[in-house]
């Protein structure tokens, strides 16, 4: 088991003919993801070819067409910022169930409207935007993360579920887990923007209910109060061991630290408050980014 | 992106909000002329235009008397003297740092002495994912303090981004704040203008503080602040044109031009990292191992997904332009790109820039052994460059070497 994606997931790429969309579709194919097509308006009818994989995929003008022709249920969005929110809404309207938006730099109000639009499509899930994507190691990778650092769960083996607001910091965490021999069930980059599709709480619930997931690693950062809410949720509803790390303990207030959502404003969003809330909920918080894997080990040991 | 008070007020005025008459001035002579036009026998307010808040309670650095960035002037002579002082001394506020911010522009404003002060703002409510009108009858003062100590004094109305703030929502807010039936329609107008500018121009914060009822009974925007979403500037050339680079940190402006995410901090260890989360975490681990020795990060720097020789050259130059920097920690997680390519880029950049301080490099990921060999081979050319086996030892090494 895993959450949200596995080897049967049929995926298209919106923005497949662009540089990044093309490169990463190719990388995902090499990893084994079942990509079945792509969408680029005005380029419908052509065949896309992966440079390294050599695989060919049909390109469509609209997501609706792509879904009809391929039966895709998931989409990886690489559309540039100005059109990305529209691409997300198009995917939902066309019947895509899982939308993974990689694009960075979408205006906040565009995402606010897109997220409200998605409310009329129950069962449609958006991951991101401004995220590395989602991976179930050994089965399905939809995103830009390096595949080989992950460790798939063997048959009857349990693993760690990873939830993160960041990209390379997630790779760092996964690398540490793999080095400690801890396999991962699914790793989800939820995105660094102020408005994101899937929240930490929703994923905590999915991992709590996934029998293969043994422990959860939550990687947060400054800005907003999502980690405080997640901590409260863990205290009430999560029985599995949870470890966490919060980036930005040394970030000054009022400055946006790279991610649009990583800003301490009006006295809220501080790392110290998040860490205190997580610890109060019994979560093992790593003191430094070098200790994320160890924190998971400690959390596992405590529950045994 | 931030703009000046006068720019924020003019945007609100264009959306229908009443503002006191004002003239934007660059010289003492401009101020004298503006005084004659606006004083009407009473006097004017002279207001320093810098992006930082807390101007009224601030102090001009090096000026012998107590004088901040906002001053009422009853005579033209006084206005001239105040203008001269403000244009010649940097203004220090709680938000500027001890060196203060040079004042290049002054706003001369018709007298509008407040009898009552309110706070109104539109902010983004992250947990609900919608804009929020926030208001308080305890205006003029530090709203964060009000929010912290007496949260019940702050009224909140979320509104839909598709419809904008509705007239009834503004009306209800105006009456709940205690405006009289004569004043309420004007207060409503100001709130609707705030919401309109916020939505139409992609603001992240639109604030009027104070919204004043003057001693003569007028309801006006006395001070305003608007921040804009950098990611939406591509569709607002009029807003992008309001950027005042002179108000921004020069190193940060330079980095932005090279597509580097850079923020200046107070410490002595420069950081060069790929990815924003890892960059923050790298600052944190330097602090963790260095704090007791008084060592901390000198900057936040995210070079983005891929490390190129050109990007690394500019990144090292920007870090080294800070004389406080006594060491640099490079922390790169090579995901899909090979660490060897990254190591080559770093060595090339090092040879071009020249490292005057110790540099510790921690690479991890794809082809890391090859990368370490490349760094080791460059030791003769780059004697201050050291390779670290892992993140913890990298942080400890740079703290040690910088002392």
């Amino acid at each position: 088991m895993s959450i949200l994606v596995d080897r049967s997931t049929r995926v298209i790429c919106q923005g497949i003919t662009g540089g990044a969309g093309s490169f990463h579709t190719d990388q995902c194919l090499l990893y084994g993801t079942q990509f079945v097509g792509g969408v680029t308006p005005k380029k419908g009818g052509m065949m896309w070819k992966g440079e390294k994989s050599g695989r060919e995929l049909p390109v469509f003008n609209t997501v609706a067409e792509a879904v009809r022709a391929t039966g895709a249920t998931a989409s990886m969005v690489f559309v540039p910022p100005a059109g990305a929110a529209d691409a997300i809404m198009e995917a939902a309207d066309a019947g895509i169930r899982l939308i993974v938006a990689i694009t960075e730099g979408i205006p906040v109000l565009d995402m606010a409207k897109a997220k409200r639009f998605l409310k009329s499509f129950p069962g449609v899930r958006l991951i991101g935007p401004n995220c590395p994507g989602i991976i179930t190691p050994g089965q399905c990778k939809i995103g830009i993360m390096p595949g080989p650092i992950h460790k798939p769960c063997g048959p009857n083996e349990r693993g760690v579920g990873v939830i993160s607001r960041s990209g390379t910091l997630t790779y760092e965490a996964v690398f540490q887990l793999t080095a400690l021999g801890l396999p991962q069930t699914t790793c989800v980059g939820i995105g660094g923007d102020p408005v994101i599709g899937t929240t930490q709480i929703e994923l905590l619930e999915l991992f709590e209910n996934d029998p293969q997931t043994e422990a959860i690693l939550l990687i947060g950062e400054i800005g907003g109060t999502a980690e405080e809410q997640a901590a409260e949720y863990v205290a009430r509803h999560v029985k599995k061991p949870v470890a966490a790390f919060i980036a930005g303990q040394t970030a000054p207030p009022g400055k946006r630290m790279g991610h649009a959502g990583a800003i301490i404003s009006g006295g809220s969003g501080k790392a110290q408050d998040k860490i205190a809330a997580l610890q109060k909920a019994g979560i093992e918080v790593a003191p430094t980014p070098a200790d994320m894997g160890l924190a998971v080990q400690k959390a596992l040991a405590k529950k045994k | 992106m931030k703009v000046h008070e006068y720019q924020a007020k003019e945007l609100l005025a264009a959306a229908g909000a009443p503002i006191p008459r004002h003239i934007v001035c660059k010289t003492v002579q401009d101020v004298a002329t503006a005084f004659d036009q606006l004083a009407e026998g009473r006097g004017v307010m002279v207001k320093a235009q810098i992006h930082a808040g807390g101007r009224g309670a601030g102090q001009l650095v090096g000026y012998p008397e107590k004088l901040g960035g906002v001053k009422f002037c009853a005579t033209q002579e006084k206005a001239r003297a105040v203008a001269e002082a403000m244009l010649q001394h940097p203004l220090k506020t709680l938000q500027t740092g001890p060196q203060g911010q040079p004042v290049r522009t002054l706003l001369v404003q018709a007298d509008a002495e407040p009898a009552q002060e309110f706070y109104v703002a539109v902010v983004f409510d992250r947990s609900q994912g919608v804009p929020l009108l926030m208001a308080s009858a305890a205006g003029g003062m530090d709203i964060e303090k009000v929010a912290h100590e007496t949260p019940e004094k702050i009224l909140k109305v979320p509104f839909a981004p598709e419809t904008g703030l509705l007239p009834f929502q503004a009306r209800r807010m105006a009456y709940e704040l205690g405006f009289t039936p004569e004043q309420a329609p004007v207060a409503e107008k100001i709130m609707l203008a705030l919401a309109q500018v916020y939505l139409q121009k992609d603001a992240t914060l639109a604030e009027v503080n104070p919204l004043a009822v003057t001693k003569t009974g007028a309801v006006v925007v006395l001070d305003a602040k608007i921040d804009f979403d950098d990611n939406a500037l591509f569709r607002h050339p009029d807003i992008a044109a309001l950027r005042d680079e002179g108000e921004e940190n020069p190193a940060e402006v330079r980095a932005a031009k090279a597509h580097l995410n850079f923020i200046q901090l107070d410490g002595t260890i420069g950081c060069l990292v790929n990815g924003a989360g890892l960059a923050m975490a790298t600052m944190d681990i330097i602090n963790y191992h260095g704090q007791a020795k008084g060592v901390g990060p000198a900057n936040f720097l995210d070079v983005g997904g891929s490390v190129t020789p050109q990007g690394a050259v500019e990144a090292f130059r920007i870090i080294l332009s800070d004389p406080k920097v006594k060491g640099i920690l490079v922390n790169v997680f090579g995901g899909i790109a090979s660490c060897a390519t990254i190591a080559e880029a770093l060595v090339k950049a090092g040879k071009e820039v020249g490292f005057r301080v110790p540099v510790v490099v921690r690479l991890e990921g794809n082809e890391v052994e090859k990368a370490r060999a490349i760094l080791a081979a460059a030791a003769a050319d780059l004697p201050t460059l050291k390779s670290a086996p892992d993140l913890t030892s990298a942080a400890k090494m740079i703290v040690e070497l910088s002392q």
Side-chain angles (χ1 to χ4, degrees):
Chain A
M1 284 287 285
S2 55
I3 64 163
L4 301 169
V5 296
D6 58 29
R7 54 173 63 84
S8 71
T9 309
R10 295 170 69 80
V11 194
I12 56 165
C13 175
Q14 286 172 263
I16 193 169
T17 54
S22 179
F23 177 82
H24 287 290
T25 300
D26 199 25
Q27 290 286 322
C28 291
L29 280 165
L30 289 170
Y31 194 73
T33 310
Q34 248 202 88
F35 264 84
V36 293
V39 175
T40 300
K42 293 194 281 189
K43 299 213 169 147
M46 71 172 265
M47 288 301 282
W48 168 90
K49 188 170 178 188
E51 200 175 305
K52 290 216 176 79
S53 67
R55 292 272 303 279
E56 292 201 345
L57 294 173
V59 180
F60 302 90
N61 287 315
T62 67
V63 181
E65 230 183 306
V67 168
R68 270 199 304 272
T70 65
T73 58
S75 176
M76 174 168 84
V77 179
F78 269 99
V79 175
D86 186 53
I88 290 166
M89 294 188 280
E90 180 188 4
D93 183 65
I96 292 287
R97 312 291 288 173
L98 179 72
I99 305 161
V100 182
I102 310 298
T103 309
E104 177 174 5
I106 305 177
V108 175
L109 288 173
D110 285 10
M111 273 316 300
K113 289 176 194 162
K115 193 165 180 192
R116 288 162 62 80
F117 179 87
L118 294 191
K119 279 190 182 157
S120 43
F121 297 90
V124 171
R125 178 177 295 285
L126 169 68
I127 290 175
N130 189 11
C131 78
I134 176 169
I135 182 168
T136 291
Q139 298 194 36
C140 179
K141 158 176 132 98
I142 306 177
I144 60 176
M145 65 289 277
I149 59 170
H150 298 81
K151 181 175 163 67
C153 292
N156 309 319
E157 193 180 20
R158 298 181 78 200
V160 181
V162 179
I163 307 167
S164 173
R165 279 170 71 180
S166 161
T168 43
L169 186 56
T170 319
Y171 313 159
E172 177 76 45
V174 167
F175 178 82
Q176 291 174 18
L177 291 172
T178 297
L180 291 169
L182 296 167
Q184 304 94 41
T185 47
T186 302
C187 307
V188 191
I190 60 173
D193 276 358
V195 180
I196 53 169
T198 299
T199 64
Q200 295 168 354
I201 290 177
E202 291 168 74
L203 290 168
L204 284 166
E205 186 183 358
L206 290 171
F207 280 130
E208 174 72 4
N209 294 331
D210 171 39
Q212 199 178 18
T213 298
E214 188 179 16
I216 304 163
L217 174 60
L218 182 69
I219 302 164
E221 62 191 28
I222 55 161
T225 53
E227 288 80 5
E228 285 88 331
Q229 289 157 16
E232 216 167 284
Y233 182 86
V234 168
R236 287 197 194 155
H237 304 288
V238 179
K239 298 202 170 53
K240 291 181 180 174
V242 182
F245 175 71
I246 301 292
Q249 295 178 48
T250 47
K255 289 280 193 176
R256 228 168 266 285
M257 307 302 282
H259 292 152
I263 180 166
I264 300 168
S265 56
S268 96
K270 292 195 205 96
Q272 284 73 7
D273 296 345
K274 293 171 187 293
I275 291 168
L278 293 163
Q279 284 173 333
K280 198 177 152 218
I283 294 167
E284 184 69 37
V285 181
T288 82
D291 302 306
M292 293 185 284
L294 289 172
V296 173
Q297 259 185 344
K298 275 192 197 164
L300 278 164
K302 255 202 305 199
K303 290 264 175 161
K304 267 172 190 161
Chain B
M1 189 191 90
K2 292 180 194 297
V3 297
H4 288 296
E5 171 197 0
Y6 76 91
Q7 295 166 323
K9 277 179 168 172
E10 286 169 8
L11 285 164
L12 291 173
I19 62 170
R21 289 198 299 142
H22 73 215
I23 295 172
V24 179
C25 300
K26 294 281 186 189
T27 65
V28 174
Q29 188 50 47
D30 288 350
V31 171
T33 314
F35 182 92
D36 293 340
Q37 288 177 266
L38 299 173
E40 290 178 344
R42 296 196 301 273
V44 298
M45 293 297 284
V46 177
K47 305 176 86 175
Q49 300 294 289
I50 60 169
H51 282 178
R55 292 170 297 162
Q59 173 63 38
L60 297 177
V61 180
Y63 188 70
E65 292 162 39
K66 191 178 170 339
L67 180 59
V70 180
K71 187 72 186 168
F72 177 73
C73 303
T75 64
Q76 201 210 54
E77 289 64 45
K78 176 80 176 169
R80 277 177 171 275
V82 164
E84 192 168 344
M86 287 183 183
L87 289 170
Q88 281 176 1
H89 300 86
L91 174 59
K92 182 181 83 171
T93 81
L94 282 173
Q95 296 178 11
T96 59
Q99 74 291 348
Q101 179 70 28
V103 180
R104 298 182 189 87
T105 307
L106 298 172
L107 185 68
V108 176
Q109 178 192 294
D111 177 37
E113 205 185 334
Q116 244 186 313
E117 297 186 319
F118 298 83
Y119 173 93
V120 287
V122 176
V123 299
F124 193 79
D125 179 349
R126 287 171 65 155
S127 54
Q128 301 296 319
V130 291
L132 181 74
L133 175 69
M134 254 172 55
S136 172
M141 48 198 289
D142 183 0
I143 197 67
E144 283 178 22
K145 213 173 146 197
V146 177
H148 189 72
E149 289 167 6
T150 47
E152 70 282 358
K153 285 193 182 159
I154 295 184
L155 308 176
K156 294 176 178 176
V157 180
F159 59 92
E162 297 85 3
T163 55
L165 183 70
L166 297 166
F168 84 83
Q169 293 175 309
R171 189 159 60 241
R172 182 174 161 188
M173 184 66 100
Y175 283 104
E176 283 180 3
L177 285 170
F179 284 99
T180 65
E182 291 72 39
Q183 297 162 350
V186 189
E188 280 168 53
K189 233 182 187 174
I190 293 172
M191 289 184 243
L192 290 170
L194 259 184
Q196 187 186 321
V197 171
Y198 182 93
L199 290 175
Q200 287 181 356
K201 302 294 183 188
D202 282 284
T204 54
L205 166 75
E207 179 182 274
V208 173
N209 188 24
L211 187 170
V213 178
T214 66
K215 293 211 160 139
T216 56
V219 179
V220 290
V221 173
L222 215 49
D223 195 356
K225 175 183 175 182
I226 307 180
D227 295 348
F228 296 91
D229 183 351
D230 291 316
N231 289 338
L233 289 176
F234 70 89
R235 60 188 175 206
H236 302 297
D238 56 332
I239 300 298
L242 301 180
R243 168 160 253 146
D244 182 353
E245 279 185 358
E247 288 290 316
E248 296 171 21
N249 178 298
E252 291 176 17
V253 172
R254 181 175 166 187
K257 287 187 176 141
H259 304 286
L260 301 167
N261 246 317
F262 177 89
I263 292 166
Q264 188 95 57
L265 302 167
D266 299 329
T268 56
I269 307 294
C271 319
L272 189 161
V273 189
N274 67 333
L278 192 59
M280 273 188 273
T282 304
M283 286 158 41
D284 293 347
I285 199 169
I286 291 169
N287 189 60
Y288 185 85
H289 294 292
Q291 200 173 21
K293 296 171 183 143
V295 176
N299 66 277
F300 164 91
L301 173 57
D302 165 18
V303 297
S306 53
V307 182
T308 61
Q310 306 90 292
V313 164
E314 187 64 0
F316 280 125
R317 286 209 171 118
I318 291 167
I319 293 171
L320 288 167
S321 70
D322 177 356
K324 294 194 310 300
V325 167
K326 294 204 177 76
I328 299 176
L329 176 55
V330 177
N331 183 19
V332 175
F333 199 97
I336 287 171
S338 161
C339 287
T341 319
I342 296 162
E344 277 163 11
L346 294 174
V347 169
K348 212 168 155 197
K351 285 181 187 166
E352 200 174 321
V353 177
F355 293 142
R356 64 168 166 85
V357 297
V359 176
V360 172
V361 178
R362 183 267 180 160
L363 291 174
E364 198 50 83
N366 194 7
E367 297 196 292
V368 68
E369 294 308 325
K370 228 164 123 186
R372 290 198 182 124
I374 291 167
L375 293 177
D381 292 319
L382 299 168
T384 68
L385 186 140
K386 300 263 179 307
S387 190
D390 59 64
L391 184 49
T392 298
S393 45
K396 286 182 175 164
M397 269 168 84
I398 196 61
V399 166
E400 192 74 22
L401 289 171
S402 73
Q403 293 196 308

